[in-house]
Short mmCIF file of all heavy atoms in Angstrom, two decimals:
data_model
loop_
_atom_site.label_atom_id
_atom_site.label_comp_id
_atom_site.label_asym_id
_atom_site.label_seq_id
_atom_site.Cartn_x
_atom_site.Cartn_y
_atom_site.Cartn_z
N LEU H 36 106.69 79.07 -75.91
CA LEU H 36 108.07 78.97 -75.47
C LEU H 36 108.75 80.33 -75.48
O LEU H 36 109.57 80.63 -74.59
CB LEU H 36 108.84 77.98 -76.34
CG LEU H 36 108.41 76.52 -76.24
CD1 LEU H 36 109.16 75.66 -77.27
CD2 LEU H 36 108.64 75.98 -74.83
N THR H 37 108.43 81.15 -76.46
CA THR H 37 108.99 82.50 -76.53
C THR H 37 108.56 83.30 -75.31
O THR H 37 109.39 84.05 -74.73
CB THR H 37 108.55 83.21 -77.82
OG1 THR H 37 109.05 82.46 -78.94
CG2 THR H 37 109.10 84.62 -77.88
N LYS H 38 107.33 83.19 -74.90
CA LYS H 38 106.85 83.91 -73.71
C LYS H 38 107.58 83.45 -72.46
O LYS H 38 107.96 84.24 -71.60
CB LYS H 38 105.35 83.71 -73.54
CG LYS H 38 104.50 84.50 -74.53
CD LYS H 38 103.02 84.35 -74.26
CE LYS H 38 102.20 85.16 -75.23
NZ LYS H 38 100.73 85.03 -74.97
N LEU H 39 107.78 82.13 -72.33
CA LEU H 39 108.50 81.60 -71.18
C LEU H 39 109.94 82.11 -71.16
O LEU H 39 110.50 82.39 -70.10
CB LEU H 39 108.47 80.06 -71.18
CG LEU H 39 107.15 79.42 -70.83
CD1 LEU H 39 107.22 77.91 -71.03
CD2 LEU H 39 106.75 79.72 -69.39
N GLU H 40 110.54 82.20 -72.33
CA GLU H 40 111.91 82.71 -72.42
C GLU H 40 111.96 84.20 -72.08
O GLU H 40 112.85 84.65 -71.36
CB GLU H 40 112.49 82.47 -73.81
CG GLU H 40 113.97 82.76 -73.92
CD GLU H 40 114.57 82.26 -75.22
OE1 GLU H 40 113.86 81.59 -76.00
OE2 GLU H 40 115.76 82.55 -75.46
N GLU H 41 110.98 84.97 -72.58
CA GLU H 41 110.94 86.39 -72.27
C GLU H 41 110.77 86.65 -70.78
O GLU H 41 111.26 87.64 -70.26
CB GLU H 41 109.78 87.05 -73.05
CG GLU H 41 110.03 87.18 -74.55
CD GLU H 41 108.85 87.73 -75.28
OE1 GLU H 41 107.75 87.75 -74.68
OE2 GLU H 41 108.99 88.13 -76.44
N ARG H 42 110.07 85.74 -70.11
CA ARG H 42 109.82 85.91 -68.67
C ARG H 42 110.94 85.32 -67.82
O ARG H 42 110.84 85.34 -66.60
CB ARG H 42 108.48 85.28 -68.30
CG ARG H 42 107.30 86.00 -68.97
CD ARG H 42 105.97 85.36 -68.64
NE ARG H 42 104.89 86.02 -69.35
CZ ARG H 42 103.61 85.67 -69.28
NH1 ARG H 42 103.26 84.65 -68.48
NH2 ARG H 42 102.69 86.31 -69.96
N GLY H 43 111.97 84.80 -68.45
CA GLY H 43 113.15 84.41 -67.72
C GLY H 43 113.20 82.97 -67.24
O GLY H 43 114.06 82.60 -66.46
N TYR H 44 112.31 82.10 -67.74
CA TYR H 44 112.30 80.72 -67.29
C TYR H 44 113.23 79.84 -68.15
O TYR H 44 113.75 78.84 -67.65
CB TYR H 44 110.90 80.13 -67.37
CG TYR H 44 109.94 80.74 -66.38
CD1 TYR H 44 109.05 81.74 -66.74
CD2 TYR H 44 109.92 80.31 -65.06
CE1 TYR H 44 108.18 82.30 -65.83
CE2 TYR H 44 109.03 80.86 -64.12
CZ TYR H 44 108.17 81.86 -64.53
OH TYR H 44 107.31 82.43 -63.60
N LEU H 45 113.39 80.20 -69.41
CA LEU H 45 114.17 79.39 -70.31
C LEU H 45 115.29 80.19 -70.96
O LEU H 45 115.27 81.41 -70.91
CB LEU H 45 113.28 78.84 -71.45
CG LEU H 45 111.96 78.18 -71.09
CD1 LEU H 45 111.19 77.80 -72.35
CD2 LEU H 45 112.18 76.97 -70.21
N PHE H 46 116.27 79.47 -71.51
CA PHE H 46 117.26 80.14 -72.34
C PHE H 46 117.56 79.26 -73.53
O PHE H 46 117.35 78.05 -73.49
CB PHE H 46 118.55 80.45 -71.54
CG PHE H 46 119.32 79.24 -71.10
CD1 PHE H 46 120.37 78.75 -71.86
CD2 PHE H 46 119.00 78.59 -69.91
CE1 PHE H 46 121.10 77.64 -71.45
CE2 PHE H 46 119.72 77.47 -69.49
CZ PHE H 46 120.76 76.99 -70.26
N THR H 47 118.03 79.89 -74.58
CA THR H 47 118.28 79.17 -75.84
C THR H 47 119.77 79.06 -76.09
O THR H 47 120.53 80.02 -75.93
CB THR H 47 117.63 79.91 -77.01
OG1 THR H 47 116.19 79.93 -76.83
CG2 THR H 47 117.92 79.19 -78.34
N ARG H 53 116.19 74.75 -76.36
CA ARG H 53 115.89 75.55 -75.16
C ARG H 53 116.12 74.73 -73.90
O ARG H 53 115.85 73.51 -73.86
CB ARG H 53 114.42 76.01 -75.22
CG ARG H 53 114.12 77.04 -76.31
CD ARG H 53 112.67 77.50 -76.23
NE ARG H 53 112.36 78.56 -77.16
CZ ARG H 53 112.00 78.35 -78.42
NH1 ARG H 53 111.90 77.11 -78.88
NH2 ARG H 53 111.72 79.37 -79.20
N LYS H 56 116.33 77.39 -67.02
CA LYS H 56 117.33 78.15 -66.27
C LYS H 56 117.50 77.59 -64.84
O LYS H 56 116.61 76.94 -64.31
CB LYS H 56 116.92 79.62 -66.17
CG LYS H 56 117.22 80.40 -67.44
CD LYS H 56 117.05 81.88 -67.23
CE LYS H 56 117.44 82.67 -68.46
NZ LYS H 56 117.32 84.12 -68.25
N THR H 172 108.94 97.62 -62.72
CA THR H 172 108.97 98.15 -64.08
C THR H 172 109.50 97.06 -65.01
O THR H 172 109.87 95.97 -64.55
CB THR H 172 109.85 99.41 -64.16
OG1 THR H 172 109.67 100.04 -65.43
CG2 THR H 172 111.32 99.09 -63.94
N PHE H 173 109.53 97.36 -66.30
CA PHE H 173 110.13 96.45 -67.27
C PHE H 173 111.31 97.18 -67.93
O PHE H 173 111.31 98.39 -68.09
CB PHE H 173 109.09 96.03 -68.32
CG PHE H 173 108.04 95.11 -67.76
CD1 PHE H 173 106.84 95.64 -67.29
CD2 PHE H 173 108.24 93.76 -67.68
CE1 PHE H 173 105.89 94.79 -66.76
CE2 PHE H 173 107.29 92.91 -67.15
CZ PHE H 173 106.09 93.43 -66.68
N PRO H 174 112.31 96.42 -68.32
CA PRO H 174 113.56 97.05 -68.79
C PRO H 174 113.44 97.71 -70.16
O PRO H 174 112.72 97.22 -71.03
CB PRO H 174 114.55 95.88 -68.84
CG PRO H 174 113.70 94.68 -69.05
CD PRO H 174 112.42 94.95 -68.31
N THR H 175 114.14 98.82 -70.31
CA THR H 175 114.30 99.42 -71.62
C THR H 175 115.27 98.57 -72.43
O THR H 175 115.89 97.64 -71.91
CB THR H 175 114.85 100.84 -71.50
OG1 THR H 175 116.18 100.77 -70.93
CG2 THR H 175 113.97 101.72 -70.60
N SER H 176 115.41 98.88 -73.71
CA SER H 176 116.34 98.10 -74.54
C SER H 176 117.76 98.22 -74.01
O SER H 176 118.52 97.24 -74.01
CB SER H 176 116.26 98.55 -75.99
OG SER H 176 116.54 99.95 -76.11
N GLU H 178 118.66 98.78 -70.86
CA GLU H 178 118.73 98.01 -69.61
C GLU H 178 118.73 96.51 -69.87
O GLU H 178 119.37 95.75 -69.14
CB GLU H 178 117.56 98.41 -68.71
CG GLU H 178 117.67 99.83 -68.16
CD GLU H 178 116.38 100.38 -67.62
OE1 GLU H 178 115.31 99.73 -67.77
OE2 GLU H 178 116.40 101.49 -67.05
N GLN H 179 118.05 96.07 -70.94
CA GLN H 179 118.09 94.65 -71.29
C GLN H 179 119.52 94.23 -71.63
O GLN H 179 119.96 93.13 -71.25
CB GLN H 179 117.19 94.40 -72.50
CG GLN H 179 115.70 94.49 -72.23
CD GLN H 179 114.89 94.36 -73.50
OE1 GLN H 179 115.08 93.43 -74.27
NE2 GLN H 179 113.99 95.28 -73.72
N GLN H 180 120.24 95.10 -72.34
CA GLN H 180 121.61 94.74 -72.72
C GLN H 180 122.52 94.72 -71.50
O GLN H 180 123.35 93.81 -71.33
CB GLN H 180 122.15 95.76 -73.73
CG GLN H 180 121.48 95.66 -75.10
CD GLN H 180 122.09 96.62 -76.12
OE1 GLN H 180 122.78 97.54 -75.75
NE2 GLN H 180 121.81 96.37 -77.39
N LEU H 182 121.70 94.24 -68.33
CA LEU H 182 121.32 93.19 -67.38
C LEU H 182 121.18 91.82 -68.03
O LEU H 182 120.88 90.83 -67.33
CB LEU H 182 120.01 93.54 -66.68
CG LEU H 182 120.08 94.75 -65.74
CD1 LEU H 182 118.69 95.12 -65.24
CD2 LEU H 182 121.00 94.49 -64.57
N ASP H 183 121.42 91.74 -69.35
CA ASP H 183 121.35 90.49 -70.07
C ASP H 183 120.00 89.79 -69.82
O ASP H 183 119.95 88.62 -69.43
CB ASP H 183 122.50 89.58 -69.67
CG ASP H 183 122.59 88.33 -70.54
OD1 ASP H 183 122.12 88.39 -71.68
OD2 ASP H 183 123.14 87.31 -70.07
N CYS H 184 118.91 90.53 -70.03
CA CYS H 184 117.60 89.96 -69.78
C CYS H 184 116.65 90.32 -70.92
O CYS H 184 116.94 91.18 -71.74
CB CYS H 184 117.04 90.45 -68.45
SG CYS H 184 116.68 92.22 -68.39
N LYS H 185 115.51 89.63 -70.94
CA LYS H 185 114.50 89.88 -71.98
C LYS H 185 113.57 91.01 -71.57
O LYS H 185 113.55 91.45 -70.40
CB LYS H 185 113.68 88.60 -72.21
CG LYS H 185 114.50 87.41 -72.67
CD LYS H 185 115.09 87.61 -74.04
CE LYS H 185 115.81 86.35 -74.52
NZ LYS H 185 116.35 86.51 -75.89
N SER H 186 112.76 91.46 -72.53
CA SER H 186 111.91 92.63 -72.30
C SER H 186 110.83 92.42 -71.27
O SER H 186 110.34 93.36 -70.65
CB SER H 186 111.28 93.08 -73.62
OG SER H 186 110.43 92.06 -74.15
N MET H 187 110.38 91.15 -71.09
CA MET H 187 109.28 90.88 -70.16
C MET H 187 109.75 90.43 -68.79
O MET H 187 108.93 89.97 -67.97
CB MET H 187 108.35 89.84 -70.78
CG MET H 187 107.59 90.33 -72.00
SD MET H 187 106.63 91.83 -71.67
CE MET H 187 105.42 91.18 -70.53
N VAL H 188 111.02 90.50 -68.50
CA VAL H 188 111.52 90.18 -67.16
C VAL H 188 111.30 91.39 -66.27
O VAL H 188 111.89 92.45 -66.50
CB VAL H 188 113.03 89.81 -67.18
CG1 VAL H 188 113.56 89.67 -65.76
CG2 VAL H 188 113.24 88.52 -67.97
N PRO H 189 110.45 91.30 -65.25
CA PRO H 189 110.19 92.46 -64.40
C PRO H 189 111.44 92.88 -63.61
O PRO H 189 112.25 92.03 -63.21
CB PRO H 189 109.09 91.98 -63.43
CG PRO H 189 108.52 90.76 -64.09
CD PRO H 189 109.64 90.13 -64.83
N LEU H 190 111.58 94.17 -63.42
CA LEU H 190 112.65 94.70 -62.59
C LEU H 190 112.05 95.26 -61.32
O LEU H 190 111.04 95.96 -61.34
CB LEU H 190 113.42 95.80 -63.33
CG LEU H 190 114.06 95.44 -64.66
CD1 LEU H 190 114.82 96.65 -65.23
CD2 LEU H 190 114.98 94.25 -64.53
N ARG H 214 117.15 92.72 -61.15
CA ARG H 214 116.53 91.64 -61.90
C ARG H 214 115.67 90.80 -60.97
O ARG H 214 116.06 90.54 -59.85
CB ARG H 214 117.58 90.74 -62.55
CG ARG H 214 118.27 91.33 -63.75
CD ARG H 214 119.11 90.32 -64.48
NE ARG H 214 118.29 89.21 -64.96
CZ ARG H 214 118.64 88.40 -65.96
NH1 ARG H 214 119.77 88.61 -66.57
NH2 ARG H 214 117.87 87.41 -66.34
N SER H 215 114.53 90.36 -61.47
CA SER H 215 113.63 89.58 -60.62
C SER H 215 113.65 88.09 -60.89
O SER H 215 113.05 87.32 -60.17
CB SER H 215 112.19 90.11 -60.79
OG SER H 215 111.74 89.83 -62.11
N ASP H 216 114.37 87.67 -61.95
CA ASP H 216 114.22 86.31 -62.40
C ASP H 216 115.36 85.37 -61.94
O ASP H 216 115.18 84.16 -61.96
CB ASP H 216 114.12 86.23 -63.93
CG ASP H 216 115.33 86.81 -64.61
OD1 ASP H 216 115.97 87.73 -64.06
OD2 ASP H 216 115.65 86.34 -65.71
N ARG H 217 116.48 85.90 -61.55
CA ARG H 217 117.61 85.05 -61.17
C ARG H 217 117.83 84.97 -59.67
O ARG H 217 118.65 84.19 -59.20
CB ARG H 217 118.90 85.54 -61.85
CG ARG H 217 118.96 85.23 -63.33
CD ARG H 217 120.32 85.58 -63.88
NE ARG H 217 120.44 85.21 -65.29
CZ ARG H 217 121.46 85.53 -66.05
NH1 ARG H 217 122.46 86.21 -65.56
NH2 ARG H 217 121.49 85.14 -67.32
#
Side-chain angles (χ1 to χ4, degrees):
L36 292 174
T37 298
K38 287 184 179 180
L39 287 173
E40 189 169 355
E41 288 175 346
R42 295 178 184 179
Y44 292 99
L45 311 176
F46 66 95
T47 297
R53 292 183 175 87
K56 282 191 175 181
T172 189
F173 290 94
T175 64
S176 57
E178 291 163 353
Q179 290 175 50
Q180 291 184 344
L182 293 173
D183 189 24
C184 66
K185 300 293 185 179
S186 62
M187 292 304 293
V188 172
L190 302 182
R214 286 191 61 158
S215 65
D216 61 329
R217 286 187 176 173

